[in-house]
Amino acid sequence: MLKKYRLTKAVKHGLSHFDPNDTGGSVSKEEIKDEFEHMERKLRNLQDKLFASKTNAVLILFQGMDCSGKDGVIKKVLSNLNPQGFRAESFKQPSPEESAHDFLWRTHKVVPAKGYITSFNRSYYEDVLITRVHDLIQDEEAAARMKHIRHFEKLLTNNGVLLIKIFLHISPEFQLEKIRERLSNPEKLWKFDPSDLKERDYWDSYIDAYEDAFRNTATDHAPWHIVPANERWFRDYLVLRIILSSMEKLDLAYPEPNIETTKLLEQLQSNTSLSQ
């Protein structure tokens, strides 16, 4: 099932090949409820092994149009993790300090250490997306940055970082519906930014920029996953499956006790036997 949503190399077709209303053959949220809860338990167990073994780190990167649900999916899918081993990072407009460094600096410094999981709400890809759409960089600079991104992601994966890149795919009609909901709901109005409406004028340009990024940065070690996100329940379900499937390939295990620990256990067992 997951193969159809996974991009590992340059593809001729674009995002139009993926239906944002796709639910993978599932009918409703109730149909996958038990499986979702089972996967949540498996993910917590894998996180425990990840933290104990300190052999790998996991970086889950979310990209998507405004209203695609980046905050929501992080909250729904990852909120049950042990907070001691999980951190969520969000990237807005660069600060003066961040702008004074290379474009990868602000994200590289918060890449998780081994044993930890981190999610990125937006990422270094913004520097080849919004900058390109608004003509802040030219095509030559964008191509150079994507080359740096490929090398950066290879550096991460070579050093034990499992990189899971997810694009939340929604339709422009769905986005407009969500903007209207924010405007009419006092509890969601705070999320509304007038720039969201202006950015809708650049929808096609963003699609072109994303498709070019996919063509240039989808690799075997750092694939892209295109997740249909019009149906929130399926979005959450598929993201959880992708994360779980990716982490299972790490073959995580609790570390074996060292010689000193083994001797202490043997001594403890011996003392227990004598006392009986």
Side-chain angles (χ1 to χ4, degrees):
M1 174 190 178
L2 297 183
K3 186 177 180 180
K4 66 179 287 190
Y5 305 105
R6 178 183 169 102
L7 299 181
T8 57
K9 58 183 178 181
V11 289
K12 293 182 179 179
H13 58 72
L15 282 170
S16 60
H17 181 77
F18 299 90
D19 179 8
N21 288 306
D22 179 20
T23 59
S26 299
V27 177
S28 66
K29 181 179 180 179
E30 288 67 31
E31 183 181 346
I32 53 89
K33 181 180 178 181
D34 290 342
E35 184 182 0
F36 191 91
E37 292 175 353
H38 176 67
M39 289 193 296
E40 283 184 312
R41 291 191 294 271
K42 290 181 70 175
L43 182 60
R44 287 195 296 270
N45 181 257
L46 285 174
Q47 183 199 18
D48 196 40
K49 292 179 179 178
L50 178 80
F51 190 83
S53 64
K54 298 290 192 298
T55 55
N56 296 90
V58 178
L59 174 56
I60 310 164
L61 182 156
F62 292 98
Q63 290 285 159
M65 299 290 200
D66 292 331
C67 302
S68 60
K70 297 178 287 294
D71 283 327
V73 75
I74 292 170
K75 181 179 180 181
K76 176 63 177 178
V77 175
L78 301 174
S79 61
N80 285 322
L81 293 177
N82 185 335
Q84 293 187 77
F86 170 69
R87 187 178 71 251
E89 298 285 350
S90 181
F91 300 95
K92 305 294 184 182
Q93 183 175 347
S95 68
E97 180 188 17
E98 291 168 344
S99 296
H101 290 80
D102 66 87
F103 78 97
L104 290 169
W105 178 78
R106 66 173 180 159
T107 48
H108 195 181
K109 67 178 183 176
V110 290
V111 167
K114 290 180 179 179
Y116 293 84
I117 300 173
T118 295
S119 69
F120 280 3
N121 181 339
R122 301 185 187 275
S123 67
Y124 44 86
Y125 278 97
E126 293 297 300
D127 291 280
V128 294
L129 295 169
I130 191 170
T131 53
R132 202 171 184 188
V133 168
H134 290 284
D135 296 321
L136 300 176
I137 62 172
Q138 301 305 308
D139 290 346
E140 294 78 8
E141 176 63 20
R145 288 187 178 190
M146 285 188 281
K147 183 177 180 180
H148 289 312
I149 286 173
R150 289 196 301 272
H151 291 162
F152 175 60
E153 292 180 342
K154 186 63 174 175
L155 170 69
L156 295 182
T157 56
N158 282 351
N159 283 275
V161 178
L162 171 63
L163 180 57
I164 305 172
K165 301 188 296 188
I166 295 173
F167 175 75
L168 302 177
H169 185 32
I170 59 172
S171 65
E173 296 80 11
F174 179 86
Q175 185 193 60
L176 182 58
E177 176 188 338
K178 289 300 174 183
I179 290 176
R180 285 171 174 164
E181 284 183 13
R182 289 179 180 180
L183 286 171
S184 61
N185 187 341
E187 294 182 0
K188 294 185 178 181
L189 186 58
W190 65 273
K191 289 186 175 183
F192 175 71
D193 187 330
S195 66
D196 292 347
L197 287 174
K198 295 179 181 179
E199 289 298 293
R200 278 179 57 80
D201 295 336
Y202 300 95
W203 183 277
D204 291 341
S205 297
Y206 273 108
I207 294 297
D208 290 342
Y210 266 113
E211 290 177 339
D212 196 36
F214 298 153
R215 283 191 294 269
N216 281 281
T217 64
T219 61
D220 287 334
H221 59 272
W224 274 101
H225 301 86
I226 312 300
V227 172
N230 276 9
E231 295 290 345
R232 298 307 208 198
W233 61 270
F234 182 71
R235 173 204 69 186
D236 299 339
Y237 168 77
L238 184 55
V239 166
L240 181 53
R241 281 198 63 172
I242 289 168
I243 295 172
L244 189 61
S245 174
S246 301
M247 288 185 64
E248 285 176 334
K249 293 175 183 176
L250 294 176
D251 196 24
L252 297 167
Y254 292 108
E256 294 292 333
N258 55 36
I259 296 175
E260 290 75 13
T261 302
T262 302
K263 288 181 179 179
L264 285 172
L265 286 172
E266 290 175 350
Q267 182 178 358
L268 180 62
Q269 290 174 349
S270 177
N271 291 340
T272 302
S273 298
L274 290 173
S275 64
Q276 292 176 347

